[in-house]
Amino acid sequence: VTIAAHEDLRRRLAEFFQARRCFLFAKGRVGLYAGLRAMGLPPGSSVLMPGYTCMVVPSAVQHVGLTATYVDIDPKTYNIQPSLLDAVAAEPSALIVQHTYGIPCAMAAIERWTAPRRIPIIEDCCHSFGTTIDGRLCGTFGRFAFLSGQWNKPFSTGLGGMLVVNDPALADAVEQLVERELAQPSRRANLVLRCQIAAHDFFVRPTTAMRLALAYRALNRLGMVKGSSSSKELGGLMPADYFTAMAPCQIRRGLREMARIDQNIRHRTEMTAFYHGELSRIGFAPLDVPGVERMPLLRYPVRVANKWDLLRLAIRRAVEIGSWFERPLHPRKTRHEDFGYEEGMCPEAERAAREVVNLPTHLRVSRRTAEHALEFLRRYAEPAGK
Ligand SMILES: *Cc1c(COP(=O)(O)O)cnc(C)c1O
């Protein structure tokens, strides 16, 4: 039963992303790690990425023995700014594009830069499941794409990660690596995850999300639940159980997500359009991205001048407002110097980290909860200055 479910989820995800093969892991970062190792890039060489990401992205790069090099973002799209690529001093061996919040990167401009230099593209699709650009699906541009199944991602396996590979030789290399080294989760780990998934699906609502997230972080610090990153990882060290497969309970959750993926994408698209239409009415700038109202965003970003006060109030008022990323290399506790990020490297990313909060689009957000969140913004948020 488990093997059949495992193969079923792999096949469906590969089909969705028009990829040759899909691999399932304990987390999204592990998919990136596996893909990078299989590529066999020159040791120590530089991998470009936006300086507005999760610390697990540069840490996976470092675990493979490569160097993370940061490029600032376009303040309108929150994605890597193609016009800055020419100024990069390092000679990169790969480029990670991240479709932040589900907003697609400027792929035409990026490919114009990478193609003549033969620099392979890797796609971070942790926010983009079903986003297209010029009719082409995000996740089909790169040598491989990786996705996170973490709680708040568009395709959640309750933590978990996916790697989709198009290149047949690269798919074979990943297959060999997986056969040789990938650990299976322990029965205890599966049980803990199973309880967490059940608790999450039962308790988490837009009105409870903020407080439960705080409780989850507290339990994680006490070692009572599986969290996203240990304190060891925040300092750049690789945990012993890093290279682990997706657990059976996560695979089952993934199959349930797959069964309603069209509904999920449709709902996110509708919520994106709703926020997009309403924001200017309440005095906030909607996204300046052509066609965004027809995209299934993961979260709708809004710039405010009083981010930290607003988030504290959102917890008290039980309004689901998100905050990614809180530093250039999320989360706030990341020791940035351990990942080669120095203050001032990416000013637009730093400004976005100070200003951006985001509105949820997931299936549990109804029109009414969305109106409630907008009303909360209208009353308590100050639009960010120019
Ligand atoms: C969540 C996230 C990841 C990592 O996902 P994990 O499953 O926690 O490893 C990577 N990149 C981005 C942009 C993310 O938001």
Side-chain angles (χ1 to χ4, degrees), residues 115-346:
R117 295 170 179 79
R118 300 175 159 275
I119 294 170
I121 294 174
I122 294 165
E123 285 181 273
D124 181 339
C125 288
C126 292
H127 294 188
S128 53
F129 201 109
T131 299
T132 55
I133 174 168
D134 302 328
R136 193 163 159 199
L137 187 69
C138 291
T140 63
F141 290 91
R143 291 288 298 280
F144 67 82
F146 66 100
L147 299 101
S148 170
Q150 199 251 359
W151 309 105
N152 298 315
K153 304 298 164 83
F155 185 94
S156 171
T157 50
L159 301 177
M162 289 78 74
L163 167 67
V164 290
V165 186
N166 218 344
D167 182 315
L170 188 63
D172 286 344
V174 175
E175 194 85 62
Q176 283 164 23
L177 176 67
V178 160
E179 274 171 24
R180 227 174 29 237
E181 294 183 26
L182 190 68
Q184 290 303 315
S186 66
R187 289 174 68 170
R188 185 174 175 278
N190 187 45
L191 185 67
V192 170
L193 284 165
R194 211 167 91 196
C195 296
Q196 282 177 224
I197 290 171
H200 178 274
D201 291 352
F202 191 78
F203 290 114
V204 180
R205 300 281 176 275
T207 48
T208 58
M210 304 287 283
R211 276 175 226 222
L212 288 175
L214 288 180
Y216 176 62
R217 267 173 244 152
L219 288 173
N220 185 30
R221 276 196 297 277
L222 296 169
M224 292 172 72
V225 296
K226 282 202 169 289
S228 280
S229 303
S230 62
S231 58
K232 210 174 139 184
E233 263 187 297
L234 295 174
L237 297 171
M238 185 167 168
D241 61 352
Y242 188 85
F243 198 48
T244 300
M246 190 179 274
C249 61
Q250 295 169 304
I251 291 170
R252 281 195 297 275
R253 178 69 149 67
L255 284 168
R256 289 205 300 276
E257 284 286 80
M258 208 68 215
R260 60 173 189 183
I261 193 64
D262 292 341
Q263 186 196 354
N264 182 343
I265 291 171
R266 208 177 324 118
H267 185 77
R268 288 186 189 278
T269 309
E270 281 167 19
M271 296 316 299
T272 302
F274 178 68
Y275 291 133
H276 191 74
E278 294 294 302
L279 273 167
S280 43
R281 197 178 53 74
I282 61 164
F284 288 85
L287 282 167
D288 183 8
V289 175
V292 74
E293 64 280 8
R294 290 183 300 279
M295 294 177 189
L297 294 200
L298 173 60
R299 316 282 299 197
Y300 197 108
V302 182
R303 288 180 186 263
V304 301
N306 57 338
K307 171 165 170 169
W308 309 111
D309 288 340
L310 190 71
L311 288 170
R312 267 192 296 276
L313 191 61
I315 293 169
R316 287 221 303 276
R317 298 290 162 102
V319 179
E320 185 182 351
I321 304 265
S323 165
W324 322 333
F325 302 111
E326 303 203 322
R327 292 278 313 273
L329 309 178
H330 189 86
R332 267 195 277 184
K333 276 187 297 192
T334 302
R335 287 203 296 270
H336 281 56
E337 62 278 16
D338 293 351
F339 300 96
Y341 187 92
E342 286 161 28
E343 206 64 35
M345 268 183 174
C346 300

Side-chain angles (χ1 to χ4, degrees), residues 5 28 80 83-84 212-213 285 314 358:
I80 206 160
S83 64
L84 294 175
L212 288 175
N358 63 57

Side-chain angles (χ1 to χ4, degrees), residues 27-29 54 56-57 98 124 126-127 148 153 160:
K27 297 199 176 142
R29 67 199 78 172
C54 258
V56 302
V57 175
Q98 167 190 297
D124 181 339
C126 292
H127 294 188
S148 170
K153 304 298 164 83

